[in-house]
Amino acid sequence: MSPTDAYTIRGVRMRDHRFTVPLDHAHPGGTTLELFARELSDARVDGEALPWLLFLQGGPGGRGNRPAGLSGWLAEATRHFRVLMLDQRGTGLSTPANRQTLPLVGSAAEQAEYLSHFRATDIVADAEFIRAALGSGPWSIFGQSYGGFCALSYLSFAPEGVKEALITGGLAPLTGPADQVYQATFERLRRRNAEYFAKYPTDREVLTRIMAHTDAVAEFLPTGERLTRERVQMLGNLLGGNTRFDSLHYVLEDAFVPTLHGVRLSDGFLAQLSSQVDRSTGPLYALMHESIYVQGEASNWAAARVLAANPDFLPDAAQPLLSGEAVYPWYFEQDPALSPLQEVAQLLAVRTDGWGDLYNVEQLALNSVPVAAAVYRDDIFVDRDLSLATAAAVNGLQVWESADFHHDGIADDGEGIFARLLGMVRA
């Protein structure tokens, strides 16, 4: 461990930590990775006197938050804890895993084998390594979205390391194929599309016009590739939150502009669209997304199979609906950040061995760690019904179900949500 001296940014005292961990914790003598984590505390108090809280970021493949000040859930958390913001393996300042670095590992098959160690159980093993290095007793953990999946893995395989767990929008199904996730979320996404177009009916016409335009006119994203119907549909990710829902309208209202060559898609629209669909800053999201659901079986592009049974989401539908949190094979054909990894993605999709259990259902049924989870009733990314089934399978897990928030609840009222969940586990 090599911590830096502390520094302060707008009321947040920060200290950077780096750790060297095994790629495979079961075989610690082999390849190693560097992990980066940032310690955060309120500069007005003695943070070192406070217990640790590990924040588990959403994703997969998202780096830890980079706060510019003390606000939201962090403001509430630092009243009680010093927070460790981890760049999970492959992300941020940890040893990166992307189109530039993965070829250093070797062939596509070797890259796929390497990435098989980038799942929730590996993140938990990293966390336990770090906890020991910091000299901490059992610590509190806070998991948002995929971070909640990691929290369930933590409670499954290293519950002795956890004092209490808070989860927001992140109760994964404990068993079953990935297909069940997409079958549920397609239906919720269909209703969310209807809600959006009822509020902004003219946007239905705009979206249909954009789709037809991409067929007739070659438009190119700032990253150089031609825009397709499928990439336009990815704007549906904005439907996954209260704080982003209306911003979709602002994106679509900028769509067209007159030019010497006729009406074209505006640079502003293309830039905003690119910011939503480009995976250059988070390629692990696409590479590992379906693997976060599989245990002992291949995903075989589960979302693509379920899409075929939902023709109103197909890009060639008369009025195609906006898509959501799913990854399809064409991602690796159309995104320049992903296309060099197409063979690796296919090997991961068909992989059957090496996908061990993500959860220990028996251990969760005997769980004694206090756990509280926010379940968002209309969440289009993590289904409410699947979440409640998981909650019922974890002994002592308390649920706060809300229709006031969507998947980005902690961006909407992070301070209130964190305080409520912490109060629940300590009641």
Side-chain angles (χ1 to χ4, degrees):
M1 182 181 78
S2 55
T4 65
D5 293 333
Y7 56 99
T8 300
I9 297 178
R10 298 185 65 200
V12 186
R13 183 185 294 111
M14 304 188 181
R15 180 177 283 113
D16 297 345
H17 297 267
R18 296 181 185 275
F19 309 88
T20 301
V21 302
L23 170 68
D24 182 355
H25 284 270
H27 300 91
T31 302
T32 61
L33 302 173
E34 296 300 312
L35 294 182
F36 174 83
R38 182 167 281 136
E39 177 184 343
L40 308 172
S41 60
D42 187 332
R44 297 168 297 185
V45 303
D46 180 10
E48 294 190 9
L50 295 174
W52 285 103
L53 171 80
L54 172 68
F55 180 64
L56 294 166
Q57 166 75 330
R63 70 178 188 175
N65 296 352
R66 268 45 176 181
L70 208 56
S71 61
W73 71 265
L74 186 62
E76 177 62 25
T78 52
R79 292 180 56 216
H80 312 274
F81 304 99
R82 50 176 162 164
V83 175
L84 192 69
M85 188 68 67
L86 173 65
D87 283 353
Q88 296 169 8
R89 48 176 57 199
T91 75
L93 295 179
S94 296
T95 301
N98 55 45
R99 67 178 177 85
Q100 296 169 302
T101 64
L102 283 171
L104 296 171
V105 173
S107 66
E110 289 170 316
Q111 293 174 51
E113 176 61 31
Y114 177 83
L115 290 173
S116 72
H117 300 290
F118 280 63
R119 297 213 300 163
T121 47
D122 305 289
I123 293 167
V124 168
D126 289 342
E128 279 295 274
F129 184 102
I130 291 169
R131 185 176 68 84
L134 292 174
S136 173
W139 56 9
S140 303
I141 61 175
F142 175 29
Q144 156 65 13
S145 188
Y146 175 63
F149 295 21
C150 296
L152 290 171
S153 292
Y154 216 143
L155 296 172
S156 293
F157 300 112
E160 67 281 1
V162 184
K163 176 184 177 183
E164 58 200 357
L166 315 181
I167 297 173
T168 51
L171 292 180
L174 302 178
T175 59
D179 301 51
Q180 65 180 325
V181 174
Y182 302 111
Q183 288 161 357
T185 53
F186 265 115
E187 183 52 42
R188 293 200 184 276
L189 183 56
R190 181 176 287 109
R191 295 199 292 268
R192 189 64 162 165
N193 269 265
E195 180 184 352
Y196 178 81
F197 290 122
K199 183 172 183 178
Y200 298 109
T202 59
D203 284 1
R204 176 66 269 177
E205 300 169 17
V206 172
L207 180 61
T208 302
R209 183 183 173 199
I210 292 170
M211 293 293 204
H213 179 84
T214 61
D215 293 338
V217 179
E219 298 277 10
F220 296 88
L221 292 172
T223 39
E225 71 274 27
R226 180 169 177 172
L227 179 61
T228 63
R229 284 175 168 252
E230 294 95 333
R231 303 296 285 286
V232 175
Q233 285 181 281
M234 289 173 69
L235 284 171
N237 280 314
L238 292 172
L239 298 177
N242 281 349
T243 62
R244 299 181 294 172
F245 183 85
D246 296 296
S247 66
L248 174 57
H249 175 65
Y250 299 139
V251 174
L252 293 175
E253 72 179 3
D254 283 343
F256 290 102
V257 64
T259 77
L260 288 174
H261 306 289
V263 173
R264 302 295 297 264
L265 293 176
S266 73
D267 287 345
F269 170 78
L270 292 170
Q272 292 176 87
L273 175 60
S274 183
S275 71
Q276 294 298 318
V277 306
D278 173 33
R279 294 295 178 196
S280 58
T281 60
L284 281 179
Y285 173 88
L287 282 166
M288 303 301 295
H289 191 265
E290 291 198 347
S291 78
I292 69 177
Y293 299 112
V294 300
Q295 301 181 81
E297 76 281 342
S299 72
N300 273 321
W301 303 110
R305 285 198 305 277
V306 177
L307 173 65
N310 291 271
D312 46 345
F313 285 95
L314 292 172
D316 57 359
Q319 291 191 320
L321 298 179
L322 293 164
S323 60
E325 193 175 57
V327 172
Y328 303 103
W330 57 259
Y331 273 39
F332 297 89
E333 300 166 3
Q334 297 187 18
D335 188 335
L338 298 178
S339 56
L341 301 170
Q342 186 173 9
E343 185 179 357
V344 179
Q346 178 61 23
L347 289 171
L348 289 170
V350 301
R351 184 184 181 96
T352 54
D353 61 331
W355 294 143
D357 290 341
L358 290 168
Y359 312 107
N360 183 326
V361 176
E362 291 76 17
Q363 174 60 42
L364 291 174
L366 298 172
N367 173 63
S368 60
V369 177
V371 189
V375 174
Y376 306 128
R377 192 170 303 162
D378 300 308
D379 195 331
I380 64 171
F381 297 151
V382 179
D383 180 70
R384 174 255 188 196
D385 295 342
L386 293 176
S387 294
L388 293 182
T390 293
V394 180
N395 184 56
L397 189 152
Q398 302 178 71
V399 170
W400 169 48
E401 185 176 352
S402 174
D404 295 331
F405 303 101
H406 282 262
H407 195 67
D408 65 346
I410 61 169
D412 209 3
D413 183 20
E415 199 165 355
I417 291 171
F418 187 94
R420 179 163 187 154
L421 295 179
L422 185 63
M424 289 170 66
V425 295
R426 294 186 172 181

